[in-house]
Amino acid sequence: MNPFVDDIVEILSTAAQLPATDVAELLAIPPDDSLGDYALPCFTLAKVLRKNPAQIAQDIADAAGPAIDGSTRLAAVQAAGPYVNVRLEKAAFIGWVLAAIGEQGESFGSQNQGAGRTVTIDFSSPNLARPFSIAHLRSTAIGHAIYRIHEFLGYRCVGINHYGDYGANFGQLLAAYQMWGDEQKVAADPVPELLALYVRFNDEVEKDPDLREESRSRLRRLADGDEEMVSLWRFFVDAGRKEAERIYGILGVHFDEYKGEGDFADDFDSVIGLFHEKGLAEESDGALIVRLKDEEGEEGAPCMLRTSNGTSTYHSRDIAALLYRKREHAFDKMVYVTDNRQALHFRQVFQTLSLAGIEWIDRCEHAPFGMMSFKGQALSTRKGRMVILEDVLDQAINLTREIIAEKNPDLKDADDVARQIGISAVVYADVSNRRTRDISFSLEEVLNFDGETGPYLQYTHARYCSILRRYGTAVDGEADPSRLGEPAEMRVARALGSFPGVLARAERENEPSYVATFLIDLATQANKLYNEVPVLIAEDPAVKAARIRLVDAVRGVLRTGMTLLGMSCPEEM
Ligand code: ARG
C-alpha cells in the first residue's frame, strides 16, 4: 500500500528474523523527526529474543545496513537506544505520494479491495414509536461512515434500515392515542403530538400501573389483525418513517432498503421449521427456545424463537431478516451497528444459526458502540428525558452562526455554512472516538475550532482551498517534487502516504474513528506546514509550484476523508 513502509518492514523483519506482520504492527513515527521518519521500538521484542532492547536495536540496525545501502527508497538506518530509526529518501518519497495522488485523484486511498464483494450494513434502524433521539444518531453516523468507507474501497453496499415498528411501544402509543389523543391535532402535526402522547403514557403508567393492560390489550388486537388497530398502527409507522427520512435528508444519509421488524414477524414459521428440523427447538413454559452456551461454555441464556403467546421475538425476527438478506443480497459481509447493550442479542442470533449449521454466519459481525452522555450546558429538549436529535442540530447550527458572525461577519452564504459546520460537528463527534467507548458530549467542545473537532478539519480544508484560490493559477501536476523535503513537508507527505493503510484497517475493523484520527493528524501537519514554510511567498518559483502541488494533495485527501465520515466540506468559512 505504501512501498516505502513495505520496504522498511521487509528489511527490518529479515534483519530481525521476525514475521513481517509483527514488525508492521510495531512500526511507529518517532516524536522527533531529526531521529528518522519511522522507528521500530524494540521493548516488546526483548521478551521473545531474550536480549536487552538497546542490544536488539543495534543488532537489527547492523544487519539491515547493507540492504538499506542498496535501497533507492530508504536512506539510512540507525539504532538509538531501544529504537531502530529509518530515514526515507525524501525526494523519492514525496514524489511517490504526489504521483499516487495525481494518478488516482479522488480515489486515492482505495485499493479497490472490495471489488466483486457485497456488504450489507444494518444501521440507524430507529424505533418508530419514539422520536428520533440523539441515541440513534450514533448508529446512523457510525453506520453511514462504515457504508461510505466500504463503498470507497469498491464494495457493493446495501444499507438497510431495520426500523422498529413492532412491540410494546406501539401498544403504549395506541392506548395513549385512544385515551387522550386529539385526532385533528395529531393529523395536522403527528410527530410532536405523538411524542407528547408517548411521554404522557409513560408518566401516567408510573402512577397507575393498570394502564399497562390498556396497552397490552391493544397490542393483542393488533397482533390478531384488528382493523382499527392495524390502520392506526400503520398511521403511526408512516408518520415515524416520514420523520426519520426527513432527518436522513438533513444528515445526507441514504438507505438502499427499508424493511422493518414487522416485515419479518409473520414468516417466522420457516425460521422455526429450520430449528425443528435440526432438533434444536425446545418447548419451555409454552415458549419455543434454542439452548445456547455462554462465553465460558456453560449453559447460557437461551434464544427464544416464539413467546408463550405464540408471537415472534426480536430474535426470530432478526433471524428471519438475516436469512432473507442472505438470499436477496448474497452478502460477503454483514455488519450490524447498534449500541453495545445488544451484544448479547447478536451473539445469541449468531450462535443459534451456527448451531443450525449455517456456515456463512462467520461473515456476520456486530459493530457495537458505547453510550453518549451530555455534559456542560444542558440541552433543552422539547419534552423531558429524551434528547431530540433535531434540537441538538438546531442548537449546534445557532451557535455556529454566532461564531461566524463574530469571526467572519462578511462570509457569503453564512447561513448555509453554519448549517454545514453545525451538523458536521455533531456527526464528527459521533464517529471520532473509538466505537466501543462511551462518550460525553458538549456542544461547546464539539464546536471548538481549535480542538480535535469537525470544525477544525473544515477550517483547515477551507484554509487550504483559500491558499489555492489566492495562488490563482492552475496547479502544476508535474511540478518537481525533488524541490521539497523540509521536515514539515515530509510530515505532511508521511501522513498522506498512510491513508490507504488507514482505510484498510478502518474497513477490517469497522472503525471509522481511524479515519478521524488520521484527518486530525493530517490537518495538524498541514497547519504546521503553512505556518513553518513559505508557500505563496516562496521565492523560488519551482519550489512554490511543488509546494502548491502538495497543498492541493492535502486539500483533496482532507475532502475525501471528511466525506467518508459524512461531513460536508465548505470551501470558505
Ligand atoms: N430498533 C433497534 C433499536 O432501536 C435496533 C435494530 C438493529 N437492527 C437489528 N437487525 N436488530 O435499538
Side-chain angles (χ1 to χ4, degrees), residues 156-169:
R156 180 175 82 94
C157 294
V158 185
I160 301 179
N161 195 319
H162 187 72
Y163 53 85
D165 56 354
Y166 207 86
N169 293 143

Side-chain angles (χ1 to χ4, degrees), residues 122-127 130 136 162-164 261 314 318 321 325 336-339 342 345-346:
D122 176 326
F123 68 104
S124 192
S125 304
N127 189 329
R130 283 175 289 181
H136 275 102
H162 187 72
Y163 53 85
E261 281 187 51
Y314 188 40
D318 248 333
R325 289 168 191 177
Y336 291 91
V337 186
T338 79
D339 73 54
Q342 296 199 32
H345 168 76
F346 286 106

Side-chain angles (χ1 to χ4, degrees), residues 133-213:
S133 81
I134 191 85
H136 275 102
L137 178 63
R138 288 220 79 192
S139 174
T140 310
I142 295 171
H144 185 222
I146 291 177
Y147 182 109
R148 289 205 165 172
I149 290 167
H150 280 82
E151 185 178 54
F152 187 72
L153 299 184
Y155 281 86
R156 180 175 82 94
C157 294
V158 185
I160 301 179
N161 195 319
H162 187 72
Y163 53 85
D165 56 354
Y166 207 86
N169 293 143
F170 282 90
Q172 293 157 10
L173 208 52
L174 287 166
Y177 179 81
Q178 292 202 311
M179 290 185 295
W180 313 304
D182 177 329
E183 218 173 295
Q184 274 170 2
K185 268 197 189 161
V186 174
D189 197 5
V191 174
E193 291 300 322
L194 292 177
L195 168 60
L197 286 168
Y198 179 82
V199 169
R200 176 161 173 197
F201 186 93
N202 282 282
D203 285 343
E204 300 215 3
V205 82
E206 266 166 40
K207 291 173 255 156
D208 178 9
D210 290 345
L211 281 178
R212 286 194 209 290
E213 189 43 38

Side-chain angles (χ1 to χ4, degrees), residues 10 32 65 131 200 239-240 282 287 336 394 409 482 567:
E10 197 194 307
D32 170 1
R200 176 161 173 197
E282 229 175 273
Y336 291 91
D394 284 346
S482 73
M567 299 170 61

Side-chain angles (χ1 to χ4, degrees), residues 288-302:
L288 197 68
I289 62 162
V290 174
R291 291 195 187 279
L292 300 175
K293 298 247 184 301
D294 67 12
E295 278 168 328
E296 275 85 47
E298 306 286 322
E299 165 112 31

Side-chain angles (χ1 to χ4, degrees), residues 169-445:
N169 293 143
F170 282 90
Q172 293 157 10
L173 208 52
L174 287 166
Y177 179 81
Q178 292 202 311
M179 290 185 295
W180 313 304
D182 177 329
E183 218 173 295
Q184 274 170 2
K185 268 197 189 161
V186 174
D189 197 5
V191 174
E193 291 300 322
L194 292 177
L195 168 60
L197 286 168
Y198 179 82
V199 169
R200 176 161 173 197
F201 186 93
N202 282 282
D203 285 343
E204 300 215 3
V205 82
E206 266 166 40
K207 291 173 255 156
D208 178 9
D210 290 345
L211 281 178
R212 286 194 209 290
E213 189 43 38
E214 295 287 336
S215 148
R216 275 195 215 112
S217 62
R218 285 176 174 83
L219 210 53
R220 270 196 298 277
R221 281 169 64 196
L222 177 65
D224 292 340
D226 176 298
E227 242 171 70
E228 188 187 10
M229 292 302 119
V230 170
S231 94
L232 261 182
W233 167 80
R234 193 154 285 146
F235 169 73
F236 297 154
V237 170
D238 283 349
R241 262 196 63 173
K242 250 190 227 129
E243 173 67 358
E245 285 181 52
R246 192 178 67 81
I247 302 282
Y248 298 141
I250 296 174
L251 297 171
V253 173
H254 144 93
F255 291 90
D256 303 290
E257 181 175 292
Y258 278 91
K259 276 199 188 298
E261 281 187 51
D263 289 309
F264 300 100
D266 297 328
D267 72 347
F268 77 117
D269 287 346
S270 62
V271 170
I272 286 173
L274 175 70
F275 294 96
H276 272 312
E277 212 175 277
K278 307 267 175 185
L280 293 165
E282 229 175 273
E283 294 277 344
S284 168
D285 293 330
L288 197 68
I289 62 162
V290 174
R291 291 195 187 279
L292 300 175
K293 298 247 184 301
D294 67 12
E295 278 168 328
E296 275 85 47
E298 306 286 322
E299 165 112 31
C303 174
M304 193 189 288
L305 296 176
R306 194 182 59 208
T307 68
S308 53
N309 296 329
T311 52
S312 64
T313 63
Y314 188 40
H315 290 82
S316 54
R317 292 191 290 277
D318 248 333
I319 291 172
L322 183 54
L323 295 172
Y324 163 82
R325 289 168 191 177
K326 184 66 187 163
R327 277 198 310 276
E328 187 70 15
H329 304 301
F331 57 74
D332 299 282
K333 175 175 176 182
M334 159 85 234
V335 188
Y336 291 91
V337 186
T338 79
D339 73 54
N340 47 28
R341 290 173 306 181
Q342 296 199 32
L344 175 63
H345 168 76
F346 286 106
R347 209 166 56 233
Q348 291 176 316
V349 167
F350 298 164
Q351 208 189 349
T352 304
L353 282 162
S354 165
L355 282 176
I358 301 280
E359 281 160 22
W360 48 260
I361 198 66
D362 60 359
R363 300 185 199 169
C364 302
E365 299 166 26
H366 180 217
F369 54 82
M371 308 301 285
M372 186 189 242
S373 61
F374 292 87
K375 67 174 176 200
Q377 85 214 92
L379 284 152
S380 73
T381 56
R382 270 171 257 171
K383 190 84 201 183
R385 2 157 218 269
M386 216 153 337
V387 179
I388 300 196
L389 173 60
E390 205 172 10
D391 291 346
V392 178
L393 295 180
D394 284 346
Q395 290 186 40
I397 295 166
N398 290 338
L399 269 174
T400 309
R401 211 178 276 125
E402 286 169 23
I403 298 173
I404 292 179
E406 194 187 306
K407 288 198 173 181
N408 191 357
D410 303 325
L411 181 68
K412 290 184 287 187
D413 306 322
D415 267 358
D416 202 32
V417 175
R419 283 188 72 76
Q420 295 187 39
I421 296 175
I423 292 170
S424 293
V426 177
V427 168
Y428 180 82
D430 265 292
V431 296
S432 54
N433 286 283
R434 285 298 278 261
R435 232 193 320 101
T436 51
R437 273 185 47 194
D438 290 340
I439 57 177
S440 81
F441 177 95
S442 109
L443 267 183
E444 235 157 70
E445 276 171 31

